[in-house]
Amino acid sequence: MAEALKLVSRNDVKSEIVAGGSYVTITQNPSLEALVDIMGLGLGYIREEKKGLRIGATTIVQDILESPAVAKFASGILTQACSTFASRTIRSSVTIGGNCLWPRPWSDIT
């Protein structure tokens, strides 16, 4: 995490944080010089807790859709939202964190 933050905060290189990468693919920003991949930071998880669910930022939407814990939470409303989310191919790469930060009309579940 520290290394990712250090890379993104550099002033000499125009960089972007990526996990699923769909935002970077769509925007095609020609000024980008580097991508900082955060998929290996352990932020992809779904955990049941006493007060509800905790879903990590790099959890892909397809994993949320297929999670038994998510299906039984709040009458399955998040499962229902994920099931209407684009296609399986897109759900298998888009992360919940990216969708919350950069919602798109074709993929907004927030």
Side-chain angles (χ1 to χ4, degrees):
M1 182 67 79
E3 183 180 2
L5 292 172
K6 181 180 176 183
L7 290 168
V8 172
S9 65
R10 287 180 52 179
N11 292 327
D12 62 327
V13 177
K14 174 68 175 155
S15 62
E16 186 80 58
I17 293 175
V18 296
S22 58
Y23 176 75
V24 173
T25 303
I26 292 167
T27 58
Q28 298 182 10
N29 183 347
S31 70
L32 279 178
E33 298 172 296
L35 300 175
V36 180
D37 184 357
I38 62 168
M39 285 301 282
L41 297 181
L43 301 173
Y45 56 82
I46 300 169
R47 297 184 186 138
E48 289 184 86
E49 298 185 349
K50 287 183 181 183
K51 295 183 179 183
L53 292 176
R54 184 174 301 254
I55 301 175
T58 63
T59 304
I60 62 169
V61 174
Q62 187 66 33
D63 288 346
I64 296 169
L65 176 63
E66 295 173 355
S67 167
V70 173
K72 65 184 182 183
F73 179 74
S75 301
I77 193 164
L78 188 52
T79 300
Q80 183 180 356
C82 289
S83 72
T84 63
F85 182 102
S87 68
R88 182 181 183 97
T89 302
I90 293 172
R91 287 192 306 265
S92 294
S93 65
V94 172
T95 63
I96 192 68
N99 189 253
C100 289
L101 287 173
W102 299 287
R104 295 285 182 228
W106 51 265
S107 68
D108 189 17
I109 61 171
T110 56

